[in-house]
Amino acid sequence: MISYARQTHEEQPDAAPPPAEEHIAPAPRVSVQAFCETVETAAAVQAAGEDRRLGKAHLKIQMGGMAAATEAYRSAPTPNVIVLESDGRNDLLGGLDQLATVCDAGTRVVVIGRINDVTLYRELVRRGVSDYVLAPVGAIDVVRSICNLFSAPEAKAVGRIIAVVGAKGGVGASTISHNVAWAIARDLAMDAVVADLDLAFGTAGLDYNQDPPQGIADAVFSPDRVDTAFIDRLLSKCTDHLSLLAAPATLDRVYDFGTDAFDAVFDTLRSTMPCIVLDIPHQWSGWTKRALIGADDILIVAAPDLANLRNTKNLFDLLKAARPNDRPPLYCLNQVGVPKRPEIAAAEFAKAIESQPIVSIPFEPQIFGSAANNGQMIAEISASHKSIEMFLQIAQRLTGRSETKKQKSSLLSPLIDKLRGK
């Protein structure tokens, strides 16, 4: 009998990308076979298979609908997920009854149909169908349906990965990523971890004033040991809500990695942390490209000059093409207003990239330099500095969350604070 996994009924008449607030967790390594009746649905399923969230799934598409599926599984085992397209009510229920006779236990079934009727939906649920999606469908509808099969409603939400990368070396991407992660943890009250991926020259340990004996290198060079307990031992606690997976920042070994070197680390972090901020070094390799494309949201940090404009444009074009069902990357301008330096105005930047910068952070070497040398965040150096609001704005856009409401202070608050300090 077809097993029941999760019952949802979403009307998706338009194949539009998901809103910024929607978070679709990636599917695990599963086999998916789709049996389509129309070329339009087959094309949508094919496009879904190219989405980053189904990157680990093995997808196969056949035409013929319900009849082809029943015939195929008479002599072959069924996959983890079967996607069926059907445009008839009687044929659908009868076909499902026949499919149940050849379907292995544990297989989950997603039906794509054209009948919007609650009675039909109840019959599908009674027969163990996992999800019913109304046609016509787009790629994101298929992605959402398959991925949601493996995200139980009662389970803890799978973590969101945010990748921060510089358009050019020396633009302050690491500083921005560390301060944004601080805002996510402090102002949004989300448990977050910063993963410093610049193993040779990473600065996260310095910026957070941490010197852990172990870090991300131990996980990358021991992929067979990576699990939740192992990663927990490697994390260095910075605040109540913020942890660090530090880089060794030593040159005693060469850090040449394969494309999937960090996959196990990212997967484990996703299962334990609501928010993961990746501090990605300015280099172009298989694993950095994979980390960017696989992230839920991306922030590009650029300085206002021609090289940064070109590189930001190239990154935008590549990431938008590789992630057609995701919102475009965000970018910010940093170190704006260096004395006597010719700069490209934010309006010109936006015109070339066809997107506005989320913020423009002014060049203030005194406070940023002091923070770096003291191992502190900007908010610790100056609680009222204008860049703090910018970091919070970036954090809100990347996470889709608003600032947690703070309790109103009373006239006695200053006195109480002094007593607590004592």
Side-chain angles (χ1 to χ4, degrees), residues 189-366:
M190 290 180 65
D191 287 331
V193 61
V194 174
D196 191 345
L197 303 186
D198 190 350
L199 272 69
F201 305 105
T203 59
L206 297 175
D207 286 352
Y208 290 120
N209 196 23
Q210 300 285 328
D211 187 21
Q214 294 178 302
I216 194 167
D218 299 89
V220 176
F221 288 109
S222 305
D224 296 338
R225 298 176 59 194
V226 173
D227 57 20
T228 301
F230 184 61
I231 292 294
D232 284 344
R233 290 197 298 271
L234 302 181
L235 291 177
S236 176
K237 197 170 185 63
C238 301
T239 69
D240 288 342
H241 290 289
L242 183 64
S243 299
L244 170 65
L245 195 54
T250 58
L251 304 179
D252 55 347
R253 62 202 312 180
V254 177
Y255 303 108
D256 292 333
F257 300 121
T259 302
D260 57 354
F262 289 88
D263 284 8
V265 178
F266 296 164
D267 290 345
T268 304
L269 287 173
R270 275 190 187 274
S271 67
T272 58
M273 279 286 179
C275 186
I276 303 100
V277 178
L278 305 182
D279 181 4
I280 298 181
H282 178 72
Q283 66 181 68
W284 198 241
S285 61
W287 71 264
T288 54
K289 179 180 178 182
R290 184 180 179 91
L292 284 171
I293 293 175
D296 295 295
D297 285 285
I298 302 165
L299 175 68
I300 301 170
V301 180
D305 62 32
L306 184 60
N308 277 273
L309 176 58
R310 179 202 63 187
N311 295 351
T312 302
K313 175 66 173 173
N314 288 343
L315 282 169
F316 253 74
D317 291 344
L318 180 140
L319 292 171
K320 287 171 69 175
R323 299 155 49 90
N325 303 311
D326 290 270
R327 65 171 174 173
L330 301 175
Y331 78 98
C332 71
L333 295 178
N334 191 33
Q335 302 173 354
V336 176
V338 174
K340 299 183 180 181
R341 180 182 72 174
E343 296 182 348
I344 298 175
E348 294 298 318
F349 232 90
K351 183 178 179 181
I353 298 174
E354 300 179 342
S355 176
Q356 292 289 336
I358 182 171
V359 295
S360 293
I361 303 173
F363 176 68
E364 297 193 37
Q366 180 67 39

Side-chain angles (χ1 to χ4, degrees), residues 59-96:
L59 177 65
K60 182 179 180 181
I61 304 172
Q62 295 177 234
M63 303 303 292
M66 187 77 67
T70 304
E71 185 62 31
Y73 299 129
R74 292 188 189 279
S75 57
T78 52
N80 301 112
V81 180
I82 303 174
V83 179
L84 297 170
E85 182 185 13
S86 175
D87 56 6
R89 176 170 184 152
N90 295 330
D91 293 339
L92 172 58
L93 297 178
L96 284 173

